[in-house]
Amino acid sequence: MSVRARKSEIIKKEKRNLFIISSLSVFEEKGFNNARIKDITKKAGTSVGNFYNYFKSKEDVIEVIISGLTELMVNKFKRLFIYFQENRFPPISAVKNLFRGYAKMFKEKKESFLIFFEQMGGMDQKYRDKRNEILDNFTNEVEKLILRLIEFGARNQNPKITARIWTSTVLGVFIWWIRSDFEIEEEELIENLTEVLVKGTMSN
Amino acid sequence: MSVRARKSEIIKKEKRNLFIISSLSVFEEKGFNNARIKDITKKAGTSVGNFYNYFKSKEDVIEVIISGLTELMVNKFKRLFIYFQENRFPPISAVKNLFRGYAKMFKEKKESFLIFFEQMGGMDQKYRDKRNEILDNFTNEVEKLILRLIEFGARNQNPKITARIWTSTVLGVFIWWIRSDFEIEEEELIENLTEVLVKGTMSN
Amino acid sequence: MSVRARKSEIIKKEKRNLFIISSLSVFEEKGFNNARIKDITKKAGTSVGNFYNYFKSKEDVIEVIISGLTELMVNKFKRLFIYFQENRFPPISAVKNLFRGYAKMFKEKKESFLIFFEQMGGMDQKYRDKRNEILDNFTNEVEKLILRLIEFGARNQNPKITARIWTSTVLGVFIWWIRSDFEIEEEELIENLTEVLVKGTMSN
Amino acid sequence: MSVRARKSEIIKKEKRNLFIISSLSVFEEKGFNNARIKDITKKAGTSVGNFYNYFKSKEDVIEVIISGLTELMVNKFKRLFIYFQENRFPPISAVKNLFRGYAKMFKEKKESFLIFFEQMGGMDQKYRDKRNEILDNFTNEVEKLILRLIEFGARNQNPKITARIWTSTVLGVFIWWIRSDFEIEEEELIENLTEVLVKGTMSN
DNA sequence: AATGAATGAGTGTTCATTCAT
DNA sequence: CATGAATGAACACTCATTCAT
């Protein structure tokens, strides 16, 4: 590939990214179904037709966004969890570390998470299924964490239910945090969250 | 009002209700935006035009549904909570009773709750705001409960955060329960849920 | 079916027919690709949306028109040809009778034939193939006629070529006749056409 | 003009020609209306923008193609016909010679003729008119041939009708020959065609 | 001359809503 | 009240053409 072609390749990727960012912002504001291609391209400072030089369809963008989310929710969180498992910290501080990793991602990808949490269910059967699949997957990872806490001496309980409690809590609380524009101080949020979940799971 | 008029009044209300039930089912299946008036009326066994004898618009139905939900989430839960406050049970069993009341409602109004949780965010700015308002309202009630637990000897914590944890958990877990078609035995779910939340909140 | 339902059934069929007629006229005037749904519905005295109560798409109408043409070109002409075979007239007058039948159909379905001859090839691969299939089919029937003329004493020749000559001639001449708005007197046209084809095929 | 300028002139003409050839091929395959400039330039191994360095518009190419066709159908055929008139061969062999000239051209310009016959009618009012004008023009030439055959002793007939028969036949049969990829042996085709037309026109 | 991203007018189709019967 | 045909505004997507590089 020539220098020139490589340069244009980079510019194209940047443009594509700009469209994704504009889309996220418009989807966030109006919802996927009420977002107009014109809104997106206006925000991106270009024309309607040009959108279709980068994406096959309106669905195509949301699919790209969602596949990014899947990557995040499945792989990135999994990596954090592996790190959690490999370290021999006492539960509270280990979980705090894990949640700090979560918080970082929620902050970085706030629009994506808002879409996941608030809109994906209402888009279409297909996306609702996808969302539930991601949630289940995520909960499976959390379940391993719960099993580990049981090894650590947590009381007897149904790990599936407790895992679902953790998942709901983490998502619900962080989304609220995003929507409040990170009003509450991060460390305080994490501290409180960790204490409730870990103590709630461990104490007899 | 004559007997005849009263009778027709009742029939009218029943028809209206039939439309609401059909709408709920179609919204659940296809999502509000992809639900067609024709789908609803077909399910109700009547014609498109007739829908407009009972509702001003498609938005009108969802508004009726949502206002029912608001009533449920705000007033009904509030009544349950008052009952909780008035009784001097130890926290665990008091909260269990409260959650039994919740469970009953989630079972009875499962479609409404699915719409609230999965779709309302993706409908429109207006409904997202409404949803958040309901959530905040609900969380305010829960906060009073947390404050009460603190009176009962719970450790020092940010009651706003803990209340948000409770809200997220209750909604997330019960919605999962609905979607799983109530697979998990009710008493086990409530037991586990209560223990995690109450112990998580109380223990030092 | 009730009397009322049957009546509305009839009205619906008439409306559908009106759309087909309007479509034929607009396709004839502007060509399929440059015909606008709005042109068709305006001509039919109704609204754009209503078109879609009767047809799935723009392609759907042309498909209906073409399937009518296929019926005509294959079955109707076949029936005329069977009649030709069953009668023991001398060739000239038998063929004249056949052509009189053709002429009647060309007059009745002039718009359809114009579309077949002038536009179908330019629409799409699919329709070009369909057109050629119809033509081949028609030519196969004509070939039987030629074989029969050979039995009657026509000179030795390649019946496939001669059949193709007849087909081209009949279509080309009648389409010209349609386009000239039937300027030439029917009997003269048929007389001349028959003489050239029959004598051209028979004479040694 | 300098040597260099003349050279670049030639290159430019060649490029232009390449575009025409690519266009013909794409028009043949997809039809004028469904042919995309991108298809044409891809086939020509260049870029979309470059097309507009050689042609004003998409219509411009088809106009060039059609004007080539007009030249062919009017002037080239006319020259063949003059040659026919100037020679004192008996009709059959003179017409055969004429048709041999036709066949050569149909083989050389097959794509153009396919476009003329199959697509030009479906493009636009303007092109349909053009096509009919060319056909009429061609038929006028043929009519002179028929008049000459009448001088040679052909039976009394309407020369306009017979000319139209000849035109339809020649076009229809040769197009079929092209589409069949010249399956039938040329001399046999011409022999058969000539015999049917000449005998059909001459014999009493 | 060559490239291909950018432009935006134009089109088929959808669907909530209306209304004559 | 019930019906479903009629309405037309709205939108996703296309593609010939332009233009900066």
Side-chain angles (χ1 to χ4, degrees):
Chain A
M1 204 188 276
S2 74
V3 174
R4 192 188 199 147
R6 216 172 311 141
K7 207 170 186 177
S8 99
E9 198 68 13
I10 289 165
I11 289 169
K12 203 165 176 188
K13 210 162 225 168
E14 267 168 16
K15 191 89 193 185
R16 199 179 142 89
N17 236 345
L18 176 59
F19 275 124
I20 292 175
I21 289 164
S22 304
S23 299
L24 273 170
S25 154
V26 177
F27 291 163
E28 210 315 78
E29 192 190 337
K30 311 208 172 187
F32 177 76
N33 280 292
N34 296 312
R36 303 289 149 245
I37 299 295
K38 219 188 168 180
D39 299 333
I40 294 169
T41 53
K42 199 181 236 174
K43 190 150 268 173
T46 184
S47 65
V48 170
N50 202 25
F51 175 87
Y52 292 90
N53 285 328
Y54 295 85
F55 299 93
K56 275 203 317 292
S57 65
K58 193 182 164 190
E59 282 236 318
D60 196 18
V61 212
I62 198 72
E63 222 126 82
V64 168
I65 290 168
I66 285 170
S67 82
L69 260 172
T70 311
E71 153 73 16
L72 218 63
M73 296 280 289
V74 177
N75 299 337
K76 205 101 191 257
F77 279 138
K78 196 175 267 183
R79 241 170 299 145
L80 284 172
F81 178 61
I82 286 165
Y83 177 76
F84 162 85
Q85 275 189 308
E86 283 167 353
N87 284 277
R88 294 279 137 191
F89 294 115
I92 289 262
S93 64
V95 168
K96 257 187 210 163
N97 274 337
L98 181 66
F99 285 174
R100 278 193 199 102
Y102 285 8
K104 189 161 170 281
M105 280 195 290
F106 276 98
K107 272 204 293 202
E108 274 169 23
K109 302 275 179 181
K110 54 184 181 176
E111 293 93 347
S112 294
F113 280 108
L114 282 173
I115 284 171
F116 177 80
F117 197 76
E118 303 202 313
Q119 300 200 31
M120 215 168 144
M123 272 172 198
D124 195 346
Q125 185 71 51
K126 186 165 75 175
Y127 295 114
R128 201 174 338 157
D129 292 351
K130 185 80 191 162
R131 179 195 133 112
N132 291 337
E133 194 193 312
I134 294 176
L135 273 181
D136 290 351
N137 216 309
F138 184 78
T139 309
N140 285 342
E141 292 304 312
V142 175
E143 194 183 334
K144 291 185 205 156
L145 188 153
I146 303 302
L147 290 170
R148 205 140 164 65
L149 291 185
I150 291 174
E151 279 176 42
F152 263 90
R155 74 168 181 288
N156 195 31
Q157 59 199 285
N158 183 330
K160 283 199 186 321
I161 296 175
T162 307
R164 191 57 63 166
I165 292 171
W166 282 55
T167 302
S168 303
T169 301
V170 166
L171 270 173
V173 170
F174 278 121
I175 290 292
W176 166 64
W177 192 47
I178 291 172
R179 262 208 321 263
S180 77
D181 208 20
F182 311 104
E183 204 189 335
I184 289 200
E185 204 268 313
E186 178 172 337
E187 204 51 37
E188 189 190 359
L189 185 78
I190 287 169
E191 169 100 19
N192 208 325
L193 185 59
T194 309
E195 291 228 319
V196 172
L197 287 179
V198 174
K199 289 187 175 158
T201 307
M202 303 288 294
S203 78
N204 281 296
Chain B
M1 202 187 275
S2 74
V3 175
R4 191 185 204 151
R6 215 174 310 141
K7 208 170 187 177
S8 102
E9 195 68 11
I10 289 165
I11 289 170
K12 193 166 180 184
K13 212 159 222 168
E14 266 169 17
K15 192 88 189 189
R16 201 177 142 87
N17 227 12
L18 177 58
F19 275 126
I20 291 175
I21 289 164
S22 303
S23 298
L24 274 170
S25 154
V26 176
F27 292 163
E28 209 317 78
E29 192 190 342
K30 312 206 171 186
F32 177 74
N33 280 295
N34 296 314
R36 305 289 153 244
I37 300 294
K38 215 186 169 181
D39 299 332
I40 294 168
T41 52
K42 200 183 234 171
K43 191 151 267 174
T46 183
S47 67
V48 172
N50 200 23
F51 176 88
Y52 290 88
N53 286 326
Y54 295 86
F55 298 93
K56 271 204 322 290
S57 66
K58 191 183 170 190
E59 285 234 318
D60 196 17
V61 211
I62 198 70
E63 222 123 86
V64 167
I65 289 168
I66 285 170
S67 81
L69 261 170
T70 311
E71 152 75 14
L72 218 62
M73 295 279 288
V74 178
N75 299 337
K76 204 104 193 252
F77 279 139
K78 195 174 268 181
R79 241 170 299 145
L80 283 171
F81 179 60
I82 287 166
Y83 177 76
F84 162 84
Q85 275 187 308
E86 283 168 352
N87 284 276
R88 293 280 138 187
F89 294 115
I92 289 263
S93 62
V95 169
K96 253 187 213 164
N97 274 337
L98 181 66
F99 286 174
R100 276 191 202 105
Y102 285 10
K104 190 159 168 282
M105 280 195 292
F106 276 99
K107 272 205 293 200
E108 273 168 25
K109 301 277 180 179
K110 52 185 184 178
E111 292 94 346
S112 293
F113 281 107
L114 283 172
I115 284 171
F116 177 80
F117 196 77
E118 303 200 313
Q119 299 201 32
M120 217 167 141
M123 274 173 197
D124 196 346
Q125 185 71 52
K126 187 166 73 176
Y127 295 114
R128 200 168 343 151
D129 291 350
K130 185 81 191 161
R131 178 195 133 115
N132 291 337
E133 195 193 310
I134 294 175
L135 272 180
D136 289 352
N137 217 310
F138 184 79
T139 310
N140 285 342
E141 293 304 312
V142 175
E143 195 183 335
K144 293 185 203 158
L145 187 153
I146 303 302
L147 290 171
R148 210 147 159 61
L149 291 184
I150 291 174
E151 279 175 42
F152 263 91
R155 70 170 182 288
N156 195 30
Q157 58 198 285
N158 184 331
K160 285 203 184 316
I161 298 174
T162 306
R164 190 58 63 167
I165 291 171
W166 282 56
T167 303
S168 304
T169 300
V170 166
L171 268 173
V173 169
F174 278 122
I175 291 293
W176 166 64
W177 192 47
I178 292 173
R179 263 208 321 264
S180 77
D181 208 21
F182 311 103
E183 204 188 335
I184 289 199
E185 204 267 312
E186 179 173 336
E187 204 51 38
E188 187 188 2
L189 186 78
I190 287 169
E191 168 103 20
N192 209 325
L193 186 59
T194 308
E195 292 227 317
V196 172
L197 288 179
V198 174
K199 289 185 174 161
T201 306
M202 304 288 293
S203 77
N204 282 295
Chain C
M1 205 186 276
S2 72
V3 174
R4 193 188 197 148
R6 216 175 307 143
K7 206 170 187 178
S8 101
E9 199 67 11
I10 289 165
I11 288 170
K12 202 164 178 188
K13 209 161 224 168
E14 266 167 18
K15 191 88 191 186
R16 199 179 143 89
N17 236 349
L18 176 60
F19 275 123
I20 292 175
I21 290 164
S22 304
S23 299
L24 273 169
S25 154
V26 177
F27 292 162
E28 210 318 76
E29 191 190 340
K30 312 208 169 188
F32 177 75
N33 280 292
N34 297 314
R36 303 291 148 244
I37 299 294
K38 219 190 165 178
D39 299 333
I40 294 168
T41 52
K42 200 181 235 173
K43 191 150 269 173
T46 184
S47 66
V48 171
N50 202 24
F51 176 88
Y52 291 90
N53 286 328
Y54 296 85
F55 299 94
K56 271 205 318 293
S57 65
K58 194 181 165 190
E59 281 235 318
D60 195 18
V61 210
I62 198 70
E63 222 124 85
V64 168
I65 289 168
I66 285 171
S67 83
L69 260 171
T70 310
E71 153 74 15
L72 218 64
M73 295 280 287
V74 177
N75 299 337
K76 206 103 191 253
F77 278 139
K78 195 174 268 182
R79 240 168 301 143
L80 282 172
F81 177 60
I82 286 166
Y83 177 77
F84 162 85
Q85 274 189 308
E86 284 168 352
N87 283 277
R88 295 277 137 192
F89 293 115
I92 290 262
S93 62
V95 169
K96 254 188 214 165
N97 274 337
L98 181 66
F99 286 174
R100 276 190 203 107
Y102 286 9
K104 189 161 170 281
M105 279 195 290
F106 276 99
K107 271 203 293 199
E108 273 168 20
K109 302 275 178 181
K110 53 185 181 176
E111 293 95 346
S112 294
F113 280 108
L114 283 173
I115 285 173
F116 177 80
F117 197 77
E118 303 201 312
Q119 300 202 30
M120 216 167 143
M123 273 175 199
D124 194 347
Q125 186 70 52
K126 185 166 73 175
Y127 295 115
R128 201 173 337 155
D129 291 351
K130 185 80 192 162
R131 180 194 132 113
N132 290 338
E133 195 194 311
I134 294 175
L135 272 180
D136 290 352
N137 216 309
F138 183 79
T139 309
N140 285 342
E141 293 303 312
V142 175
E143 194 182 337
K144 293 185 205 156
L145 186 153
I146 304 301
L147 290 171
R148 205 139 165 66
L149 291 184
I150 292 175
E151 280 176 40
F152 263 91
R155 73 169 180 288
N156 196 30
Q157 59 200 286
N158 183 332
K160 283 199 187 319
I161 298 175
T162 307
R164 189 60 63 166
I165 292 171
W166 282 56
T167 302
S168 304
T169 300
V170 167
L171 269 174
V173 169
F174 277 121
I175 290 293
W176 165 67
W177 192 47
I178 291 172
R179 262 208 321 265
S180 76
D181 208 22
F182 312 103
E183 205 188 335
I184 289 198
E185 204 266 313
E186 177 171 337
E187 204 51 38
E188 188 188 2
L189 185 78
I190 287 169
E191 168 100 20
N192 209 326
L193 186 58
T194 309
E195 291 227 318
V196 173
L197 287 179
V198 174
K199 288 187 174 159
T201 306
M202 303 289 294
S203 78
N204 283 295
Chain D
M1 202 188 279
S2 74
V3 174
R4 192 185 206 152
R6 216 175 308 142
K7 208 171 186 177
S8 100
E9 196 68 12
I10 289 165
I11 288 170
K12 192 164 178 182
K13 211 159 222 168
E14 268 169 14
K15 191 88 190 187
R16 202 177 140 87
N17 229 9
L18 177 58
F19 275 124
I20 292 174
I21 289 164
S22 303
S23 299
L24 273 170
S25 155
V26 177
F27 292 162
E28 211 313 80
E29 192 189 339
K30 313 206 171 190
F32 177 75
N33 280 296
N34 296 313
R36 305 288 154 245
I37 300 294
K38 214 185 171 183
D39 299 333
I40 294 168
T41 53
K42 198 181 234 173
K43 191 151 266 174
T46 184
S47 66
V48 171
N50 201 23
F51 177 88
Y52 290 88
N53 287 325
Y54 296 86
F55 299 92
K56 271 203 324 289
S57 66
K58 191 183 169 189
E59 285 235 316
D60 196 17
V61 212
I62 198 69
E63 221 123 86
V64 169
I65 289 168
I66 285 170
S67 82
L69 259 171
T70 312
E71 152 75 14
L72 218 65
M73 295 281 287
V74 177
N75 299 338
K76 204 104 191 253
F77 278 139
K78 194 174 269 182
R79 241 170 300 144
L80 282 172
F81 178 61
I82 287 165
Y83 176 77
F84 162 85
Q85 276 189 308
E86 283 167 353
N87 282 278
R88 293 281 138 189
F89 294 115
I92 289 262
S93 62
V95 169
K96 255 188 211 164
N97 274 337
L98 181 66
F99 285 174
R100 277 192 201 104
Y102 286 7
K104 190 159 169 283
M105 280 195 292
F106 275 99
K107 271 206 292 202
E108 273 168 22
K109 303 275 178 182
K110 54 183 180 177
E111 292 94 347
S112 295
F113 280 108
L114 282 172
I115 285 171
F116 177 79
F117 197 76
E118 302 202 314
Q119 300 200 32
M120 217 167 141
M123 274 173 198
D124 196 346
Q125 184 71 51
K126 186 167 75 178
Y127 295 113
R128 200 169 342 153
D129 291 350
K130 184 83 189 159
R131 178 193 133 115
N132 291 338
E133 194 193 312
I134 295 175
L135 272 181
D136 289 352
N137 216 309
F138 183 79
T139 309
N140 285 343
E141 292 304 313
V142 175
E143 194 182 335
K144 293 186 204 155
L145 188 153
I146 303 302
L147 290 170
R148 207 144 161 63
L149 291 185
I150 291 175
E151 280 176 41
F152 263 92
R155 74 172 180 286
N156 195 32
Q157 59 200 285
N158 183 333
K160 285 202 185 316
I161 297 175
T162 306
R164 190 58 63 166
I165 291 171
W166 281 57
T167 302
S168 304
T169 300
V170 166
L171 268 174
V173 169
F174 277 122
I175 290 293
W176 166 65
W177 193 46
I178 292 173
R179 263 209 321 264
S180 78
D181 209 20
F182 311 104
E183 205 189 335
I184 288 199
E185 205 267 313
E186 178 172 336
E187 204 50 38
E188 188 189 1
L189 185 77
I190 287 168
E191 169 100 20
N192 209 325
L193 186 58
T194 310
E195 291 227 317
V196 173
L197 288 179
V198 175
K199 289 186 175 159
T201 308
M202 303 288 294
S203 77
N204 283 295

